[in-house]
Amino acid sequence: MDNKQPLLTEYPLGDMTLKNRVVMAPLTRSRADNPGKVPNDLMVEYYAQRASAGLIISEGSQISERAVGYINTPGIHTDEQVQGWQKVTEAVHARGGKIFCQLWHVGRMSHPDFHQGELPLSASAINPNSQSFTPEGFKDTVTPKAMTIDEIKQTISDYGQAAKNAMAAGFDGVEIHSSNGYLLHQFFSKTSNHRSDEYGGTIENRAKILFEVIDEIKQHVPENRIGLRLNPSLHGIFGMTLDEESIPTFDYIVKSLNNYDLAYLHLSEPFNDVSDVPYAEPNIAKHYRPLYKGTLMINTGFNRERGNQVIADGLADLVAFGKLFISNPDLVERFAAKAETARWDEDTFYTPGAKGYTDYPVLDPT
Ligand SMILES: Cc1cc2nc3c(=O)[nH]c(=O)nc-3n(C[C@H](O)[C@H](O)[C@H](O)COP(=O)(O)O)c2cc1C
């Protein structure tokens, strides 16, 4: 292994040591195709194949039945699901890997079809005008129900229970999915949060739920085993629209996270070209590295060269790779060999079965 590549050097993450800085980004793959949404043997194989990553972040895993928004996504709220995940974490650990569980609530990106006709929950009753992937295929999203204070409290408590379950399932930690236009992001954004109570109105109020979620999870998981994901410049995707307070809101959140000893802050560079979008910050790592004192993980559009560079430039400590990990189970070995990487097939991202999931080959050693 070429130890000169920054991506391939060890990294002390809280009280753990990662064997390299190549992180597998959270990737929904919709293979939990059983009524209980329980992780199955195919998923065990898929994660085990990728255990040479310094850290794996699991696909988004719903914290409750109300949190579901896509077909065949696994949960982390029933005993059966915990037992299913246990097999995944054991297989990853047996291969010397580490794995965090991504805790997910989709909020208004869900559909009544998942909730016996009841409306999905969100900060406010504002339709994202997007699409939801239901058991009957893609359907237009609906206007969600604005959460009551009791529903907010219940959801915060569900995050805590899900985190507790994740640790019982043998995960090394949890990642709060406060990104990509899902429930917590819906609270942060002025365009999706019109609340007039303590959870809306000001930047501090719109961010409040996140800190309550962290404080709840802290009851069950050491702070240095809790990570958190943000996508500050998300625009025109998953119903999100940037406004003049978006980046100031994320600035406030990131600075406030300095009061915690979290495992990491996981940031995404913009998902699309935002150079002409008003209020966007096009350079996320550059903007946020000076604001955050802890471990910074960066994602979106990286390859081996750019990943090594962003670490060498001191702009990030860890790099998360998404699509490259779908098609290269041995991504770390390929990086070490400076070998070609295989291209992913979008058509099998979310389809059932092994095709496009566990059948991507590893590099031929010859
Ligand atoms: C098939 C697929 C599923 C994804 N599922 C999730 C998910 O469950 N949670 C999440 O935070 N991001 C999810 N993402 C976003 C990825 O984690 C990552 O941010 C994105 O792919 C950009 O990184 P990349 O350029 O390295 O692929 C998903 C992306 C893809 C392509």
Side-chain angles (χ1 to χ4, degrees):
M1 190 176 280
D2 180 358
N3 284 322
K4 291 198 191 78
Q5 294 190 57
L7 278 172
L8 302 182
T9 56
E10 283 187 352
Y11 185 77
L13 187 76
D15 57 343
M16 304 185 297
T17 300
L18 305 187
K19 59 194 173 189
N20 58 60
R21 297 168 189 236
V22 180
V23 176
M24 178 173 162
L27 293 160
T28 290
R29 303 303 311 277
S30 299
R31 259 60 177 196
D33 51 351
N34 58 75
K37 302 184 179 78
V38 178
N40 53 31
D41 290 347
L42 191 64
M43 291 168 62
V44 174
E45 187 186 346
Y46 165 78
Y47 281 107
Q49 286 175 342
R50 287 154 180 80
S52 57
L55 176 68
I56 294 173
I57 304 164
S58 81
E59 62 207 280
S61 307
Q62 51 266 359
I63 60 165
S64 65
E65 205 55 52
R66 277 309 248 153
V68 180
Y70 296 86
I71 56 161
N72 301 337
T73 55
I76 183 74
H77 57 93
T78 70
D79 289 344
E80 248 189 315
Q81 291 163 352
V82 169
Q83 284 157 21
W85 278 120
Q86 212 147 25
K87 293 187 198 151
V88 171
T89 62
E90 277 166 14
V92 169
H93 290 150
R95 296 205 181 185
K98 301 230 183 306
I99 181 165
F100 274 35
C101 182
Q102 194 189 45
L103 305 179
W104 196 22
H105 191 309
V106 307
R108 66 179 187 167
M109 293 304 294
S110 190
H111 192 277
D113 286 6
F114 289 107
H115 310 290
Q116 292 82 44
E118 286 199 43
L119 292 175
L121 301 173
S122 188
S124 295
I126 301 168
N127 191 332
N129 294 317
S130 188
Q131 296 243 297
S132 182
F133 192 34
T134 78
E136 294 164 22
F138 281 104
K139 288 194 180 176
D140 289 342
T141 52
V142 301
T143 301
K145 174 181 185 292
M147 290 166 89
T148 62
I149 294 287
D150 278 350
E151 284 165 337
I152 291 176
K153 290 213 169 94
Q154 179 61 50
T155 302
I156 292 167
S157 156
D158 291 343
Y159 271 101
Q161 183 62 46
K164 190 176 175 191
N165 293 348
M167 297 316 268
F171 282 100
D172 297 291
V174 297
E175 177 176 286
I176 302 167
H177 193 353
S178 37
S179 183
N180 297 355
Y182 295 115
L183 182 70
L184 297 173
H185 200 162
Q186 291 157 26
F187 271 84
F188 303 157
S189 172
K190 231 169 60 165
T191 56
S192 46
N193 181 347
H194 291 183
R195 299 181 74 92
S196 53
D197 62 6
E198 68 202 273
Y199 292 98
T202 63
I203 286 176
E204 290 79 359
N205 282 1
R206 291 200 306 273
K208 181 177 156 78
I209 187 170
L210 175 67
F211 295 98
E212 293 182 345
V213 166
I214 299 173
D215 290 341
E216 183 73 21
I217 291 178
K218 269 172 56 182
Q219 307 300 314
H220 309 287
V221 182
E223 240 174 83
N224 64 5
R225 297 296 185 104
I226 305 171
L228 184 157
R229 188 171 218 211
L230 300 172
N231 193 341
S233 282
L234 189 71
H235 180 79
I237 302 177
F238 302 128
M240 297 315 285
T241 309
L242 290 171
D243 61 71
E244 75 286 0
E245 284 190 11
S246 300
I247 295 299
T249 301
F250 286 104
D251 291 355
Y252 164 77
I253 290 173
V254 170
K255 285 184 199 157
S256 304
L257 291 174
N258 285 325
N259 299 327
Y260 295 79
D261 179 29
L262 295 184
Y264 60 82
L265 169 63
H266 184 178
L267 296 175
S268 295
E269 294 288 350
F271 274 4
N272 48 4
D273 180 7
V274 293
S275 44
D276 292 330
V277 175
Y279 314 120
E281 170 50 66
N283 298 302
I284 294 297
K286 270 199 191 116
H287 180 85
Y288 285 103
R289 176 67 286 183
L291 299 188
Y292 186 60
K293 71 173 192 314
T295 293
L296 200 152
M297 183 189 296
I298 194 71
N299 164 249
T300 310
F302 285 90
N303 58 14
R304 186 178 67 80
E305 290 84 355
R306 287 195 289 277
N308 280 321
Q309 197 60 50
V310 75
I311 297 174
D313 289 345
L315 293 174
D317 304 297
L318 302 168
V319 184
F321 298 86
K323 294 182 285 299
L324 276 177
F325 255 116
I326 291 179
S327 48
N328 298 276
D330 56 344
L331 190 64
V332 172
E333 289 78 4
R334 289 185 194 232
F335 283 175
K338 297 186 179 165
E340 288 287 299
T341 51
R343 174 83 193 172
W344 52 87
D345 171 15
E346 284 97 345
D347 292 346
T348 49
F349 276 178
Y350 308 109
T351 46
K355 189 167 182 301
Y357 189 56
T358 48
D359 62 353
Y360 284 104
V362 296
L363 200 64
D364 183 345
T366 60

